[in-house]
């Protein structure tokens, strides 16, 4: 019997649709996953939807199970949670996370799925990839007990970083955003909030995740001498400018990039990608992360919803996509 699923495709910039797709017959060692929900990674997926991936980054930006090429047609996404319907006995019937595009069913190698702990609801597990980015960032930054830390940009990534930093002993953490409504998110995550102009300075570390020139500039301004900005934003094809002629040199400031595509150097010899993802799923047992999920839609609504998200008409954090459970 032919296996058919439904998948979200970007035909061309700003033009998405749901297509019927044929599934390959699973080989030995494969799993068939029925999707329960998936998450929209707002920053990256909006950039893809708008056709803003620079040609020089086409290879680097490929998702693990992407089909097609940028700028389109392309099937993109990487925050999927589902149930294993066929596969090895150790996985059969298990809820799993997979770096797969938005699709109702899919066939992947068993090694590509990670079991979701029983302590983590499937609807929260869509954040695994986001929390994994935050884990990798903190491996890169290596904050110390008692540090003064600014997290600039209260989106999915910034919120995840702040949630993890809230567990560090003795640190001063401020979540900073130009949108005053994000104060509620900071309160839910257990950290202080500030507007950019009110943020506390003398920081040992600033984690920047606003994807704006103003946010990165403010991150540099908040540093103490010899402090570090860890840059998590992805600007795509946009160019930005920075005030590197002011306190940057005299203060011996550091601007460092961090990206989830490679395990942080500090842990690369001792932790695999699988270890990092499993840790991220374990961390999601904490219900505080529910504050990062602010919207939901049915899978069939995704083309119109994605257009609204990319256009800035549907603000929020993680948008969860729910699939039929038949």
């Amino acid at each position: 019997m032919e296996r058919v699923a439904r998948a979200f495709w970007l035909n061309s910039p700003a033009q998405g649709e749901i297509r019927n797709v044929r599934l390959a017959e699973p080989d030995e060692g494969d799993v068939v996953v029925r999707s329960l929900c998936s998450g929209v990674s707002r920053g990256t997926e909006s950039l893809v939807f708008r056709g803003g991936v620079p040609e020089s980054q086409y290879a680097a930006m490929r998702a693990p199970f992407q089909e097609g090429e940028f700028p389109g047609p392309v099937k993109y996404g990487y925050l999927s949670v589902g149930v294993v319907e066929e596969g090895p006995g150790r996985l059969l019937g298990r809820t799993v996370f997979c770096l797969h595009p938005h699709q109702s069913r899919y066939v992947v190698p068993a090694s590509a799925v990670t079991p979701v702990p029983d302590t983590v609801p499937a609807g929260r597990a869509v954040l695994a990839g986001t929390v994994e980015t935050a884990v990798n960032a903190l491996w890169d930054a290596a904050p110390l007990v008692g540090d003064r830390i600014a997290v600039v940009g209260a989106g999915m990534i910034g919120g995840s970083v702040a949630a993890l930093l809230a567990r560090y002993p003795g640190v001063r953490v401020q979540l900073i955003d130009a949108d005053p409504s994000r104060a509620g998110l900071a309160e839910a995550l257990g950290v202080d909030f500030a507007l950019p102009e009110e943020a506390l300075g003398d920081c040992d570390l600033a984690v920047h995740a606003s994807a704006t020139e103003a946010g990165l500039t403010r991150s540099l301004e908040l540093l103490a001498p010899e402090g570090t900005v860890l840059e998590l934003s992805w600007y795509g094809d946009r160019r930005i400018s920075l005030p590197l002629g002011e306190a940057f040199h005299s203060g011996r400031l550091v601007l460092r990039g961090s990206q989830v595509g490679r395990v942080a150097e500090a842990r690369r010899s001792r932790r695999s990608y699988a270890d990092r993802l499993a840790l991220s799923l374990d961390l999601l047992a904490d219900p505080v992360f529910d504050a990062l999920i602010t919207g939901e839609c049915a899978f069939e609504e995704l083309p119109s919803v994605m257009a609204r998200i990319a256009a800035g008409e549907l603000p929020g954090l993680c948008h969860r996509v729910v699939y039929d459970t038949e």
Side-chain angles (χ1 to χ4, degrees), residues 142-188:
L144 300 176
V145 173
D147 273 358
R148 301 180 180 96
I149 304 174
V151 180
V152 180
M156 288 172 63
I157 300 297
S160 295
V161 170
L164 295 182
L165 284 172
R167 307 174 182 211
Y168 279 63
V171 299
R172 185 194 79 189
V173 183
Q174 271 198 325
L175 184 58
I176 299 160
D177 200 277
D179 181 355
S181 70
R182 294 293 167 90
L185 172 65
E187 182 179 6

Side-chain angles (χ1 to χ4, degrees), residues 200-267:
L200 297 174
D202 198 32
C203 292
D204 304 287
L205 170 68
V207 180
H208 180 239
S210 81
T212 67
E213 181 178 306
L216 183 51
T217 297
R218 188 61 178 139
S219 297
L220 287 167
E221 293 170 347
L222 293 174
L223 290 182
E226 306 209 0
T228 296
V229 169
L230 190 74
E231 175 60 278
L232 296 180
S233 301
W234 168 241
Y235 297 94
D237 57 0
R238 287 182 294 143
R239 290 182 177 271
I240 61 169
S241 60
L242 294 174
L244 301 184
E246 298 184 11
F248 186 77
H249 283 281
S250 62
R252 294 173 56 86
L253 305 183
V254 176
L255 175 58
R256 181 181 182 186
S258 178
Q259 205 270 342
V260 74
R262 299 184 70 183
V263 174
E265 185 179 8
R267 293 292 178 270

Side-chain angles (χ1 to χ4, degrees), residues 31 47 69 126 179 269 313:
V31 291
L47 192 73
E69 303 294 337
V126 297
D179 181 355
S269 65
E313 298 171 2

